[in-house]
Amino acid sequence: IRTIDLILNMSELVTNSFEYHPKQLALCKLLLNNLIPEFQLKAKGKNLTLIYTDNIKDDIILADEYTVIEIFQNLFDNAIKYTEKGKIEINCAGDEKSVFVEISDTGIGISEEYQEKMFIPFSQEQQGYTRQFEGNGLGLAIVKKYCEINGAEITVESKKGIGSKFTVRFVKQ
């Protein structure tokens, strides 16, 4: 079902049939209420620790709720999927101009060579039938497009074998 959702989401983006419905959202509260409990259970199921911190009071952004949830659902899912042991840390914070969420993991990491291609649809670092992880290569491509639609910026820091940190930054309202 998740694969079908990703394909449908990508087809909406490619055909320009996606309808953007921005509204004021309390980003950290949205994540805490809609996603964190689900992903804490998923992490626990893999014997991982998921730590969520909320270090901001004014977290209001103007964005499309569906796409914001999809951004973080994909990023949280990837953090758990690609982490075999250790922890995932999700930090919601901000400054005077922005609200940002950092998702750090102790997972497999991403090679420097692949980081340039990771937002291209259907691309995966591991190819072929012997690859270790399932997936269709659409998650991060959709995340990138949804960030662009909402005027958000996504950055990544990663080291192979050590882990990754994705940061999504929204303009504060």
Side-chain angles (χ1 to χ4, degrees), residues 56-68:
I56 185 171
K57 298 292 177 235
D58 180 17
D59 65 343
I60 303 299
I61 62 170
L62 183 65
D64 178 84
E65 184 173 0
Y66 174 78
T67 57
V68 168

Side-chain angles (χ1 to χ4, degrees), residues 20 25 35 53 56 89 157:
Y20 179 65
L25 302 171
L35 295 177
T53 55
I56 185 171
E89 294 182 77
E157 299 169 33

Side-chain angles (χ1 to χ4, degrees), residues 5-17:
D5 281 343
L6 289 169
I7 291 168
L8 290 173
N9 289 348
M10 183 55 81
S11 68
E12 277 186 336
L13 291 168
V14 169
T15 61
N16 293 320
S17 60

Side-chain angles (χ1 to χ4, degrees), residues 40-140:
Q40 283 176 325
L41 285 174
K42 285 184 178 186
K44 188 176 180 182
K46 283 188 72 177
N47 291 318
L48 300 171
T49 302
L50 189 147
I51 301 164
Y52 175 75
T53 55
D54 180 350
N55 295 313
I56 185 171
K57 298 292 177 235
D58 180 17
D59 65 343
I60 303 299
I61 62 170
L62 183 65
D64 178 84
E65 184 173 0
Y66 174 78
T67 57
V68 168
I69 288 173
E70 284 294 305
I71 288 167
F72 292 105
Q73 183 158 341
N74 277 297
L75 293 174
F76 296 171
D77 193 53
N78 281 355
I80 291 171
K81 178 170 46 172
Y82 295 112
T83 302
E84 294 300 322
K85 60 182 178 177
K87 63 183 175 181
I88 291 103
E89 294 182 77
I90 300 168
N91 180 35
C92 198
D95 54 34
E96 292 142 18
K97 297 180 182 180
S98 64
V99 179
F100 57 89
V101 179
E102 299 169 326
I103 303 105
S104 303
D105 64 57
T106 57
I108 63 170
I110 304 163
S111 69
E112 281 188 48
E113 301 80 40
Y114 183 68
Q115 288 180 36
E116 298 170 6
K117 303 172 192 164
M118 61 194 261
F119 294 114
I120 297 171
F122 301 107
S123 69
Q124 295 179 304
E125 187 167 13
Q126 294 181 349
Q127 301 289 323
Y129 295 110
T130 59
R131 68 180 189 215
Q132 185 179 0
F133 297 96
E134 293 288 321
N136 52 36
L138 286 175
L140 288 178

